[in-house]
Amino acid sequence: MIKHWSFLLIIVYLAAQPAVATPHATDANVSRPVSHAEGTTHTSHTDVFSPASYAKVTTNGTHANLMRPVSHPEGTTHAPDSAYLFSYTTAKNNDRSGLQFAWSQDKQQWHVIGNRFAFLYSDYGRWGSDKRMNSPWLIQAPDGIWHCIWSLNERDHLFAHAASEDLVNWKRQSYPDITAGANFLHPAVTYDAGQQSYNITYTDANGKQFRITTTDFKTYTPATAITTSRYSEGSVTITLPEGTATGQVHRVPWAVVDRLIKTQELAQYNWQQQAESSTKDNERFAMLQKPLQASITLHPEKAKPISNLLLGIFFEDINYAADGGLYAELVQNRDFEYALSDKEGRDPNWNSTHSWTLHGDNSTFTIDAATPIHPNNPHYAILDTKTPGATLVNGGYDGIPVKKGSKYDLSLFTRQPDGKSGKLLVRLVSPQNNILAQTTITISGNSWKKAQAVLTATADADSTTLELQPLTAGRLALDMISLFPQETFKGRKNGLRADLAQVIADIHPRFVRFPGGCVSHGDGLNNIYRWKNTIGPLEARKPQRNLWGYHQSAGLGYFEYFRFCEDIGAEPVPVVAAGVPCQNSGPSAKGSGQQGGIPMSEMDEYVQDILDLIEYANGDIHTTWGKKRAEAGHPEPFHLKYIGIGNEDLITDIFEERFTLLFNAVKKQHPEITVIGTAGPFFEGTDYDEGWDIANKLKVPMIDEHYYVSPGWFIHNQDFYDKYDRSKSKVYLGEYAAHLPGRPSNIETALAEALYLTALERNGDVVSMASYAPLLAKEAHTQWTPDLIYFNNTTVKPTVNYFVQQLYGANSGDKYLPGTITISNDMNREDVRERIAVSTVEDTRGKAVIIKMVNLLPKAVQSSIDLSGISIADADAVKTVLQGSPDSKDARPVVSSYPVTDKFNAELPPYSFTVIRIKTK
Ligand code: AHR
C-alpha cells in the first residue's frame, strides 16, 4: 500500500497528469465559469494580497510569458495545414507509459511530442501494480470525438474506453466486461459507416479471436468468435528515437498537433515551477541587495463575509491514528479478531493470537469461535490450565505506558466452559519484572460475564505488560480484555488519549472530518466503512481490516467521534462512501474492486443506512436511531449539519449513478444537511472535471477537493480559487499538504501551507472548509508522511506544520479585510512577490483584527502596515512569529506583545510566518 500511494504522490509532485495539463482556470473544458474573487484587484507592482498573474496561461491555453519557440515543423516558418499523428504506448514502466503521440509531415521523419509524455493514463486497478495500458487503439468518430480502447492486463476479463474531443482532455473511463475468451488483448477498432457502429476485435491469451460491436461505447453486443483479427491491418510500427512502437496513424489538422505540443510544453513549464524549492533560494534571490519593503494598506470598507469554519481537521485511522493512538485503549487485539486478511495474508503472525503470548508451562492458549459473545466478535481465547502458573501476556501497542498513582479501568468477558468457578490474577508488570498493579477476578459459570476492576499504578513505566494468570486449573474463555486509563480526554468512558486529544483541540478546529480518507470507502465493497458496525456495546461492534494494513477495532466509532466533536466545539463532517470503494481498491474480487459499486439492487438499503446516520446524530430519542444514541448516553442531538458523500472517487458512470441516488435522498429527506460531493484526488484531471460537472448538474452545495503538492505548486497557484465562480458549489479543501522529496515536515512546507492559507482566507467566501491531511502518525507505525502530529506512547510531537494550522485555527475570522500590498526593491521580480503573502481577517465575536504575513524569502521584509479605518481597542497587540531555516523541524512560535498604532512597522524575518492579533472596539 505504501508503495502504491507513494507512486501516486510522486505523480502529484511532478504534476505528471499531462492528460489534463492545461491549468484548471483556463481549461476550456472545465465547466466552471470563471470570475474573480470579490475584493481582489490585480495591479502590476501593487498586488492585492494575491500573486499577480505572472506566468499564468491565457485563455487560449498558450503561455503568455513562456519564451518557447512556436511549434512549427523544423525548418519551416509557417505551420502546415495538417500532419500525420501517430498514437502509441510503450511497455516501459511496466506498461504504465500511457498514450503518447508523435507527428510527421511525410510519414518518414517522426517527432515525438515530449519525452515519453502521456496524454492519457489508464485508471484501472491499484496504483503501482496496475493502471496498465496495452495496445491502445485510437479512432476518430464521424462527429470528431476520439475514442481510445485499450487492453488492461492478462488477468481481467475487461477492457477500457475513454473519449476526448481534443486528445488533451479525456472524459471518464469505463471498463466494460466481456464475456467471451480468456481476456482481452490487442483490440482493433473499425467504423462501419453503413451500420453506424464500431467493430472491436480482440484476441485472448489462447489466441482465439472475438468481435463485439457498439454504437456509443456505452453498450456492447455480446462477443462472438471470429477467425481473423484485424489488429495488424490498422496498425503501423514506427521507429522512434527510443525504439519501435506500434499504433495508429491519423491525418489531422495542424491545430490538433499544435495543441498537443503546447500542452506538453506547458506541462513542462509547470513541472519546473512546481519543482522549485528553497535549495536554490540563495542563488535565485541573490539579486535582492537592498532591504525589501512591503507597504500594506487595509480596506476595511470592502470587508466581505467569509466562512467561519475554514480551518478544521481530517481524522483518518491511518498510521495507527485510532487504535494504538487517539483511542485510549491500551490492550492490543483485545477482541482476538486480528486476521490474516488484515494484511492480505502477508504476515502469518497477524492472526487472532497477535500481541498475546503464553508464558509458563502446563497450560495451553488457543482460539475458539464456537460460542462467541456476539456474532460480530466471533473469536475468543481459551486458556486450558492443568497446573496454575502460566500467564497470558499482552504487550499493548509497543508496551502499556502507566503513570504512578493513575487509575486504569480493567474489563474483560469471561466464561468457564466446564461450569466451574475460579480466580484470575491480573497484573501490570514492568520490563524489570516489577508488579506495578494487580487485582484478582472471580470467574464463575458457563455463560459470558463481564468483570471489571480498577488497577492503580505504583510507579511510572513507559512499557508494561498486562498479565493474566488463572489461579485455578481448568478451561477459561476470555474475550474483550480491555484496559483504559481513567484520565481520558474530558474523562470520557471508552474515551480518547488525553494528551493527544488536547493537542488536537489546541488547533481550535471548527470541524472534524471522519473516518477519512480512504478508510471511509474502503478497499473493495466489503471494506466500506459501515457506521452501524461502529456503535453500541463494544463487544457487539464489528471490527474490520484497515486498508492501511492493520486492524480497526471500531472502538473509536461514530458515537465517540460525535462526542469528541462536541467536546472540542467542532462541527462533525462525516464522509460516507458514495456506494463505490476506494480508487485504489484491488480489482481481484471482480465487480467489487475499484470499478465496481454496490449492486443497484442493494442501493436502497445503503441509502437508508446513510439516512439512518443522520437520524442517529440528530433524531429524536423516540426514533429508531435517535434512541440508540440516547442509549449510548447522549439523548441530546449532535446537531449534524454536513455530510460528505464520496472520497476522491474515480468518477465513472457507476459512481454517478450511486452518488445521484444518495444525494437526492439526503436532499429530499434532510434539506437542512449540506451535502459535500467529491472531485477526485488532484487539482485537475478527469476526476476533477467530471466531479465538478456532476456537482454543477445536481447543484451539490459543496465539493471536496484534494491535492498533495509541492511548495512550488502552492507558491505559484495562490490564485487557484480567485477565479472560482461564486455562484457554483462551495469548496471543502478536504486534504492538502505540501510535499517535498523525502516528505519532511519542515519550515519550507509549513510556510508554503501558511502562504496558501492566506489565499484560502481571501477566498473564504467560496472555500468554506479546509483540512490538512493526514492528522496523526504513530512513530514506527507510519504508512504515510508527512503528518501533522507524530506521537509515541508517551510523547506527542507536533510538527512545525502543526503550528501553522494552530495559528490559523486560533486566529480565524468571519470577515476578510481586503488590502493592497506594494513591494519595493524587489527588482520587479514576480517570484519575489509571490513569496510574500498577507491576509487580514476580522473576528467579529472575539473583537479582533488579525494580520497574517508570510515571508518565504531568504531575506527579511520590512513591512509598514496602515490600519486606518480600524478602531483599535488596545495598543498592545499580540505578535506570534514562527521562523526558521527552510529545513528546520524544531522551530516553534514565539509570542510577544507588540505595540500597534494606525500605522506601524513590523519586520518579517527570512522564512517566517507572523501573526499580529489586534483587539478592536
Ligand atoms: O490522507 C491520506 C490519504 O490520501 C487519504 O486516505 C486519501 O483520501 C488520500 O489519497
Side-chain angles (χ1 to χ4, degrees):
M1 185 65 80
I2 304 170
K3 276 192 189 148
H4 306 155
W5 286 97
S6 316
F7 175 74
L8 182 157
L9 285 153
I10 288 164
I11 288 181
V12 179
Y13 177 64
L14 295 175
Q17 290 290 305
V20 286
T22 313
H24 64 283
T26 56
D27 187 334
N29 284 6
V30 174
S31 45
R32 275 177 301 94
V34 159
S35 70
H36 279 278
E38 258 173 60
T40 63
T41 53
H42 293 263
T43 56
S44 74
H45 214 62
T46 303
D47 192 7
V48 180
F49 294 5
S50 73
S53 51
Y54 164 79
K56 295 298 169 200
V57 175
T58 58
T59 42
N60 62 5
T62 59
H63 200 293
N65 293 5
L66 179 55
M67 297 305 290
R68 57 164 182 71
V70 181
S71 52
H72 293 162
E74 270 165 49
T76 67
T77 48
H78 299 290
D81 291 341
S82 59
Y84 294 103
L85 186 68
F86 176 55
S87 59
Y88 64 99
T89 191
T90 69
K92 292 215 167 66
N93 192 17
N94 292 327
D95 295 338
R96 288 192 291 271
S97 318
L99 184 69
Q100 301 169 45
F101 294 108
W103 65 270
S104 170
Q105 280 195 290
D106 54 11
K107 288 199 190 173
Q108 301 297 316
Q109 211 190 347
W110 288 93
H111 309 269
V112 292
I113 300 179
N115 179 16
R116 292 195 220 154
F117 186 89
F119 288 79
L120 170 66
Y121 286 106
S122 178
D123 249 334
Y124 180 80
R126 284 203 203 277
W127 295 99
S129 55
D130 275 305
K131 307 247 183 259
R132 292 162 60 192
M133 176 186 280
N134 285 308
S135 319
W137 187 287
L138 187 68
I139 187 169
Q140 191 171 26
D143 61 2
I145 303 290
W146 295 93
H147 294 273
C148 188
I149 293 278
W150 66 97
S151 150
L152 295 162
N153 53 45
E154 295 76 26
R155 182 192 63 214
D156 293 318
H157 216 246
L158 309 167
F159 67 93
H161 166 262
S164 171
E165 283 175 19
D166 55 11
L167 299 174
V168 171
N169 297 285
W170 289 84
K171 296 282 180 195
R172 59 181 75 168
Q173 298 181 8
S174 64
Y175 311 100
D177 199 345
I178 47 158
T179 49
N183 50 14
F184 181 100
L185 306 173
H186 300 301
V189 190
T190 53
Y191 182 65
D192 181 336
Q195 298 294 320
Q196 296 188 345
S197 67
Y198 301 84
N199 292 321
I200 303 170
T201 60
Y202 65 92
T203 311
D204 79 353
N206 303 323
K208 293 193 176 149
Q209 287 158 12
F210 302 90
R211 175 167 41 223
I212 51 181
T213 60
T214 181
T215 54
D216 56 5
F217 294 96
K218 293 258 179 215
T219 54
Y220 299 84
T221 59
T224 52
I226 54 167
T227 47
T228 52
S229 161
R230 303 267 171 82
Y231 183 71
S232 53
E233 288 173 25
S235 294
V236 290
T237 297
I238 286 174
T239 304
L240 299 171
E242 53 173 325
T244 56
T246 300
Q248 290 74 55
V249 173
H250 293 272
R251 183 93 191 160
V252 295
W254 176 250
V256 173
V257 176
D258 193 48
R259 177 141 204 213
L260 294 173
I261 293 171
K262 282 177 177 150
T263 298
Q264 182 273 323
E265 287 175 344
L266 181 62
Q268 193 78 31
Y269 179 84
N270 286 338
W271 293 345
Q272 278 164 15
Q273 278 203 328
Q274 290 162 25
E276 281 176 15
S277 76
S278 68
T279 48
K280 295 232 170 93
D281 274 2
N282 284 335
E283 207 180 299
R284 186 179 289 123
F285 300 115
M287 78 300 176
L288 295 177
Q289 301 296 340
K290 292 190 190 153
L292 280 160
Q293 309 277 348
S295 299
I296 298 163
T297 306
L298 298 182
H299 300 297
E301 72 287 356
K302 292 189 184 157
K304 65 172 176 179
I306 55 168
S307 165
N308 63 358
L309 291 184
L310 187 61
L311 196 126
I313 54 169
F314 163 99
F315 179 85
E316 172 164 23
D317 189 2
I318 180 173
N319 309 320
Y320 280 62
D323 294 302
L326 187 58
Y327 185 48
E329 173 64 79
L330 294 168
V331 176
Q332 184 165 192
N333 192 16
R334 68 182 174 193
D335 53 8
F336 303 96
E337 296 302 334
Y338 277 27
L340 284 173
S341 54
D342 292 342
K343 288 185 182 286
E344 297 182 303
R346 285 190 293 268
D347 181 352
N349 297 320
W350 192 274
N351 56 38
S352 284
T353 64
H354 190 275
S355 302
W356 295 98
T357 40
L358 185 68
H359 292 183
D361 303 321
N362 299 320
S363 291
T364 57
F365 161 45
T366 52
I367 299 293
D368 202 356
T371 321
I373 307 175
H374 190 277
N376 285 346
N377 175 17
H379 300 98
Y380 53 90
I382 296 280
L383 279 186
D384 196 349
T385 306
K386 303 285 178 252
T387 315
T391 308
L392 184 63
V393 178
N394 187 279
Y397 296 91
D398 302 335
I400 296 175
V402 293
K403 279 194 233 128
K404 183 178 176 182
S406 291
K407 292 185 165 37
Y408 298 86
D409 288 334
L410 172 82
S411 66
L412 66 168
F413 281 77
T414 62
R415 191 168 72 83
Q416 288 280 78
D418 308 329
K420 297 181 191 156
S421 64
K423 287 198 182 302
L424 181 70
L425 179 63
V426 183
R427 302 193 290 208
L428 280 168
V429 181
S430 76
Q432 297 75 29
N433 256 333
N434 295 323
I435 297 162
L436 303 188
Q438 72 173 22
T439 188
T440 305
I441 284 169
T442 304
I443 299 150
S444 65
N446 189 11
S447 59
W448 287 107
K449 288 198 187 75
K450 186 171 180 179
Q452 302 188 77
V454 175
L455 295 173
T456 306
T458 55
D460 286 347
D462 288 352
S463 181
T464 68
T465 48
L466 180 74
E467 305 199 354
L468 299 100
Q469 184 180 14
L471 298 177
T472 29
R475 273 155 50 83
L476 171 62
L478 296 166
D479 204 356
M480 295 302 293
I481 304 170
S482 166
L483 188 71
F484 254 87
Q486 287 190 352
E487 291 159 29
T488 57
F489 186 61
K490 307 257 179 206
R492 301 293 190 192
K493 289 279 175 215
N494 193 43
L496 307 182
R497 187 175 142 179
D499 55 351
L500 207 41
Q502 188 56 54
V503 170
I504 295 170
D506 289 344
I507 297 175
H508 302 279
R510 298 305 318 281
F511 66 89
V512 182
R513 177 191 181 122
F514 177 90
C518 288
V519 162
S520 17
H521 52 182
D523 183 10
L525 291 182
N526 295 335
N527 195 235
I528 286 179
Y529 194 98
R530 301 287 192 144
W531 75 270
K532 286 179 182 170
N533 292 339
T534 73
I535 59 160
L538 295 178
E539 63 277 14
R541 295 189 187 183
K542 196 167 181 179
Q544 71 169 353
R545 164 177 176 242
N546 179 307
L547 85 173
W548 297 105
Y550 55 101
H551 187 84
Q552 235 165 271
S553 73
L556 196 179
Y558 257 93
F559 180 77
E560 293 73 25
Y561 158 59
F562 283 138
R563 190 178 58 186
F564 180 53
C565 291
E566 189 175 75
D567 281 345
I568 62 172
E571 298 288 348
V573 180
V575 175
V576 300
V580 294
C582 180
Q583 284 239 8
N584 197 41
S585 296
S588 46
K590 196 172 151 192
S592 64
Q594 171 196 30
Q595 281 71 45
I598 294 177
M600 288 308 284
S601 57
E602 294 168 25
M603 272 305 288
D604 283 353
E605 200 183 324
Y606 183 71
V607 168
Q608 190 55 50
D609 266 4
I610 305 311
L611 298 174
D612 291 345
L613 173 61
I614 299 170
E615 185 175 290
Y616 181 73
N618 294 350
D620 182 90
I621 56 168
H622 303 295
T623 60
T624 311
W625 293 98
K627 185 163 175 249
K628 291 195 192 293
R629 183 192 68 240
E631 283 163 6
H634 202 285
E636 306 79 22
F638 281 118
H639 306 292
L640 178 68
K641 300 189 190 84
Y642 300 88
I643 192 161
I645 300 180
N647 174 65
E648 61 177 51
D649 300 293
L650 191 73
I651 309 289
T652 59
D653 291 349
I654 293 171
F655 166 87
E656 184 170 5
E657 196 176 16
R658 286 154 185 78
F659 176 85
T660 305
L661 265 185
L662 286 156
F663 174 72
N664 287 338
V666 174
K667 194 173 145 196
K668 184 167 171 219
Q669 302 287 326
H670 293 284
E672 75 285 5
I673 298 282
T674 300
V675 174
I676 306 168
T678 181
F682 305 114
F683 57 87
E684 60 181 10
T686 303
D687 293 335
Y688 174 87
D689 292 344
E690 298 269 332
W692 266 102
D693 278 349
I694 294 173
N696 291 340
K697 188 156 83 182
L698 297 178
K699 298 200 185 332
V700 178
M702 205 182 289
I703 190 152
D704 179 17
E705 296 186 348
H706 295 179
Y707 37 90
Y708 297 95
V709 286
S710 61
W713 190 94
F714 283 124
I715 290 168
H716 292 294
N717 287 280
Q718 291 169 64
D719 58 351
F720 191 79
Y721 293 112
D722 290 345
K723 297 166 192 153
Y724 268 41
D725 185 336
R726 273 48 194 165
S727 70
K728 302 279 182 189
S729 312
K730 302 276 185 224
V731 172
Y732 165 32
L733 177 53
E735 294 185 27
Y736 71 94
H739 284 185
L740 276 170
R743 308 284 198 87
S745 303
N746 62 18
I747 277 284
E748 181 172 1
T749 56
L751 293 186
E753 288 149 10
L755 192 83
Y756 199 64
L757 276 158
T758 64
L760 296 188
E761 283 194 335
R762 181 174 68 246
N763 285 288
D765 54 335
V766 66
V767 182
S768 299
M769 302 192 277
S771 44
Y772 178 103
L775 180 69
L776 296 176
K778 185 164 195 172
E779 287 177 341
H781 296 281
T782 300
Q783 297 88 42
W784 180 294
T785 53
D787 304 282
L788 205 58
I789 303 165
Y790 291 83
F791 62 92
N792 56 33
N793 279 348
T794 52
T795 314
V796 180
K797 304 178 179 179
T799 58
V800 281
N801 309 64
Y802 166 89
F803 291 104
V804 166
Q805 297 290 318
Q806 204 246 334
L807 282 167
Y808 270 91
N811 291 292
S812 60
D814 50 356
K815 273 191 190 165
Y816 180 76
L817 307 187
T820 50
I821 173 167
T822 306
I823 299 166
S824 44
N825 301 334
D826 60 357
M827 309 291 286
N828 204 17
R829 289 272 300 257
E830 190 59 32
D831 54 357
V832 172
R833 296 199 292 271
E834 281 182 320
R835 284 164 169 83
I836 302 168
V838 179
S839 164
T840 306
V841 296
E842 184 175 354
D843 172 4
T844 48
R845 281 183 61 200
K847 290 203 180 266
V849 159
I850 304 120
I851 308 174
K852 304 187 182 87
M853 294 176 281
V854 182
N855 176 12
L856 243 172
L857 292 164
K859 313 271 174 181
V861 175
Q862 307 302 329
S863 73
S864 54
I865 300 156
D866 184 345
L867 292 181
S868 304
I870 291 171
S871 315
I872 302 172
D874 187 344
D876 251 353
V878 178
K879 181 165 94 159
T880 311
V881 181
L882 178 66
Q883 184 217 352
S885 64
D887 58 357
S888 166
K889 296 179 175 164
D890 306 320
R892 292 293 176 262
V894 175
V895 184
S896 60
S897 78
Y898 198 74
V900 293
T901 53
D902 278 357
K903 293 192 173 117
F904 69 99
N905 299 330
E907 184 184 276
L908 314 181
Y911 298 115
S912 65
F913 177 37
T914 302
V915 180
I916 301 179
R917 187 178 181 99
I918 302 158
K919 284 194 187 137
T920 50
K921 289 182 186 147

